[in-house]
Amino acid sequence: MRISPLSTLHRSLIAFSALHLGYGPRAVVLATHQVTEADLRHHQSDWQRLQALRAVERTAQ
């Protein structure tokens, strides 16, 4: 397995995005981005904050 230069936070956010967009089974997405369920739980508030920012940006347009 290749080690990613990205932090666990960044890999988790990418995995959240992939899951949100419906890319593949959850286990495959997590393995592809080298994150665990624990990583996702740890970074869930970051993902929610990012989603809230995107919602604000959409309403401002």
Side-chain angles (χ1 to χ4, degrees):
M1 178 181 280
R2 199 170 141 215
I3 297 176
S4 174
L6 297 176
S7 69
T8 303
L9 167 63
H10 290 110
R11 292 193 319 271
S12 295
L13 293 175
I14 293 167
F16 272 124
S17 294
L19 292 169
H20 180 75
L21 293 170
Y23 292 166
R26 188 175 186 92
V28 172
V29 170
L30 270 58
T32 299
H33 298 291
Q34 301 172 15
V35 295
T36 65
E37 291 290 346
D39 294 329
L40 294 186
R41 281 191 303 275
H42 182 75
H43 295 294
Q44 186 169 3
S45 63
D46 298 305
W47 169 250
Q48 291 168 334
R49 191 169 27 259
L50 184 61
Q51 290 300 96
L53 287 171
R54 290 189 71 220
V56 168
E57 287 176 355
R58 278 188 295 245
T59 26
Q61 293 177 351

